Amino acid sequence: MTFNELGLIEPIKKALREKGYTHPTPIQQQSIPILLRGKDLLGVAQTGTGKTAAFALPILQQIYMQPKRKGHRLIKALIVTPTRELAIQINDNFTAYGKFTNLRNTVIFGGVKQGAQTNELRKGVDILVATPGRLLDLMSQGYISLNDIEYFVLDEADHMLDMGFIHDIKKLLAKLPRKRQSLFFSATMPPSIVSLSQKILGDFEKVSITPKQATAERVDQGVYFVTKKNKIKLLIHLLETKDADSVLVFSRTKHGADKIVRLLGRNNIHAAAIHGNKSQNARQRALKHFKDGDIRVLVATDIAARGIDVSDLSLVVNYDLPNVSETYVHRIGRTGRAKASGVALSFCMMDERPYLRDIQKLINQKIPVISDHPFVDDGSEEPPKELQPKRTGNRPPGRKPDRRKRFRPKRKNPRNPR
Ligand code: AMP
């Protein structure tokens, strides 16, 4: 199928040609006709499937086709997404896809001063991309009215709830006009999400793109059994031997991410970290340097990396395996986007093996074990202290417990022992 068969207008098709898109992805093939018919949509899909264009193109087209009215532009479409990085990315996509439509879009998110954002709003926009907190804030200050919203997109609804935005969403829903087209996207559909979708959607159609297999099939995967101590050595070894231009490394913790960057730096590998403790500007700067190819390695935690769209991301390294299997699919979805194929390599310590089993169950696939490397964990190294089994009541052989110390009762008044 080509974009011609989807009923898109020339200004949009021209922008797609400029972007180099030749064929719509499955979610675009399925969603665009539904949305152009004006129906609500429930999209079970995650970032990396082409979902942004799936909702952005019909929104742009429908607003573009409306009779032009004079005066200040009114916000007609609102896209709410959980993270700042995703918001920026979606807004960039609207700019690219809407290049020949004369429509205006802007993005607002927290963590930075509001001046530049309110200036853009004052000029008037047709499409607004926002994170929930800053949106409610600027609404309460009177910079934004939702009275004219005709198109509402709730993006990454499951992450929205994970991040505790439910109250913000409810406040927002109360302010939206009843007559509108609503789009609801989520990668997973647990009961809480189903119930939220029912509050938002009217007469809807469902489109489901199962990313598990799709992602897992697109991406070459491998797992290295390695001890905690050797993880950094293995990472350096891979960075030195793999021909990968841009490498995204996942760390379970913020502290861990900083440490990896420091240790790589000591080995003359320039890397940057993005995580929740970094300021918004520092995160954006790191992301820009990474996207521009100035730094080869970006070390990220899951929240910070959510939805990062870097074209040509050639390698994802799971320095720590995630303990939630779905996160693995999200992470490796950062490589092998759209048609490109990617590589995802995971490090697995002995105590992470249960996570590996869960992941393999989820993706319904065995991840090949790579043992052709200098740091194979053959089980001979004593595990680090925190991983050693907890002492039970049995005392180690040859040592008597020091009862005097352990059971000496505390004196109430040290000056008067009696
Ligand atoms: P998304 O899921 O919207 O974040 O899109 C994932 C990536 O696929 C982005 O880099 C898009 O620019 C790219 N993309 C989306 N649709 C297409 C398409 N039809 N052809 C080629 N690339 C696409």
Side-chain angles (χ1 to χ4, degrees):
M1 185 189 264
T2 64
F3 282 106
N4 285 331
E5 293 158 65
L6 287 177
L8 293 169
I9 52 174
E10 186 50 32
I12 289 179
K13 286 194 286 190
K14 190 170 168 192
L16 295 177
R17 283 196 297 276
E18 268 200 12
K19 283 284 282 178
Y21 297 3
T22 49
H23 294 84
T25 65
I27 191 162
Q28 292 161 6
Q29 290 179 24
Q30 294 177 50
S31 308
I32 292 173
I34 296 172
L35 292 170
L36 288 178
R37 271 191 273 122
K39 278 254 178 159
D40 284 2
L41 181 85
L42 171 61
V44 186
Q46 66 173 43
T47 305
T49 53
K51 111 180 121 83
T52 316
F55 66 74
L57 304 182
I59 289 178
L60 283 163
Q61 174 150 335
Q62 292 186 91
I63 302 180
Y64 181 80
M65 299 294 274
Q66 289 179 1
K68 305 274 169 294
R69 52 177 291 285
K70 291 215 172 98
H72 198 256
R73 287 172 196 253
L74 304 169
I75 305 173
K76 299 258 175 62
L78 173 67
I79 295 89
V80 182
T81 192
T83 68
R84 300 146 184 186
E85 284 81 6
L86 264 178
I88 292 169
Q89 219 163 268
I90 293 172
N91 187 57
D92 288 347
N93 281 340
F94 266 101
T95 306
Y97 304 146
K99 188 172 173 191
F100 303 105
T101 61
N102 267 331
L103 296 174
R104 284 176 53 90
N105 52 283
T106 196
V107 59
I108 59 171
F109 47 83
V112 291
K113 289 191 180 144
Q114 67 176 47
Q117 298 176 0
T118 53
N119 284 346
E120 282 304 303
L121 289 167
R122 263 198 220 99
K123 288 187 210 158
V125 295
D126 304 283
I127 297 154
L128 178 64
V129 184
T131 55
R134 179 57 57 96
L135 174 62
L136 288 171
D137 188 5
L138 295 188
M139 280 165 61
S140 70
Q141 294 180 50
Y143 287 106
I144 295 168
S145 154
L146 301 186
N147 291 344
D148 302 286
I149 296 294
E150 295 171 25
Y151 307 94
F152 172 62
V153 182
L154 188 72
D155 187 35
E156 307 237 332
D158 45 358
H159 294 151
M160 210 67 105
L161 296 201
D162 288 349
M163 292 170 77
F165 284 134
I166 185 69
H167 296 296
D168 287 353
I169 303 292
K170 284 188 177 156
K171 273 191 220 161
L172 199 61
L173 291 178
K175 304 267 182 200
L176 285 173
R178 278 184 186 280
K179 194 174 168 318
R180 57 167 202 255
Q181 188 176 22
S182 299
L183 291 70
F184 184 99
F185 288 94
S186 188
T188 53
M189 289 302 289
S192 56
I193 296 290
V194 174
S195 126
L196 181 63
S197 75
Q198 286 163 348
K199 290 194 181 80
I200 294 177
L201 297 170
D203 184 15
F204 71 90
E205 288 193 25
K206 181 175 170 183
V207 166
S208 186
I209 302 295
T210 41
K212 291 171 203 159
Q213 258 81 6
T215 308
E217 275 164 20
R218 269 202 325 264
V219 178
D220 268 342
Q221 299 163 73
V223 60
Y224 293 81
F225 291 132
V226 61
T227 58
K228 184 176 187 174
K229 203 177 81 188
N230 279 337
K231 277 187 175 184
I232 192 71
K233 293 183 194 158
L234 178 57
L235 179 62
I236 293 166
H237 171 72
L238 292 181
L239 291 171
E240 283 171 352
T241 52
K242 295 269 171 207
D243 179 25
D245 294 333
S246 53
V247 183
L248 182 58
V249 178
F250 281 97
S251 156
R252 193 151 36 216
T253 64
K254 302 170 198 171
H255 173 72
D258 286 334
K259 192 167 169 194
I260 296 169
V261 169
R262 250 194 339 269
L263 294 175
L264 290 180
R266 276 190 212 154
N267 286 273
N268 298 322
I269 299 172
H270 189 37
I274 57 167
H275 53 64
N277 283 1
K278 299 262 176 191
S279 73
Q280 178 57 19
N281 284 339
R283 281 156 72 170
Q284 265 168 255
R285 218 173 21 246
L287 199 55
K288 183 169 186 313
H289 285 318
F290 186 57
K291 282 187 178 187
D292 292 349
D294 301 334
I295 48 170
R296 182 175 168 225
V297 184
L298 189 67
V299 186
T301 55
D302 288 300
I303 297 266
R306 200 154 278 164
I308 287 177
D309 176 21
V310 182
S311 45
D312 304 328
L313 185 57
S314 33
L315 173 62
V316 163
V317 176
N318 290 308
Y319 193 89
D320 303 307
L321 273 184
N323 47 8
V324 176
S325 311
E326 279 81 6
T327 306
Y328 176 83
V329 180
H330 286 294
R331 288 182 180 183
I332 72 166
R334 306 281 84 87
T335 181
R337 286 266 166 122
K339 286 251 170 94
S341 65
V343 180
L345 301 173
S346 303
F347 296 176
C348 180
M349 303 188 290
M350 202 56 93
D351 76 322
E352 290 174 308
R353 294 204 187 182
Y355 302 156
L356 179 65
R357 275 194 289 278
D358 290 347
I359 290 166
Q360 298 190 136
K361 225 196 257 161
L362 176 79
I363 61 173
N364 199 14
Q365 191 177 324
K366 222 172 160 41
I367 304 173
V369 178
I370 305 173
S371 39
D372 173 23
H373 67 95
F375 306 106
V376 181
D377 178 12
D378 56 6
S380 59
E381 186 184 310
E382 193 174 328
K385 246 190 208 137
E386 66 270 26
L387 300 180
Q388 288 179 12
K390 288 234 161 61
R391 285 263 159 82
T392 58
N394 308 335
R395 75 184 139 87
R399 268 189 70 188
K400 281 186 182 170
D402 185 351
R403 285 190 191 283
R404 260 176 317 137
K405 240 186 205 166
R406 252 200 236 162
F407 296 114
R408 189 164 55 192
K410 268 195 183 152
R411 284 179 295 173
K412 278 193 183 136
N413 181 350
R415 282 201 211 133
N416 179 10
R418 299 278 137 191

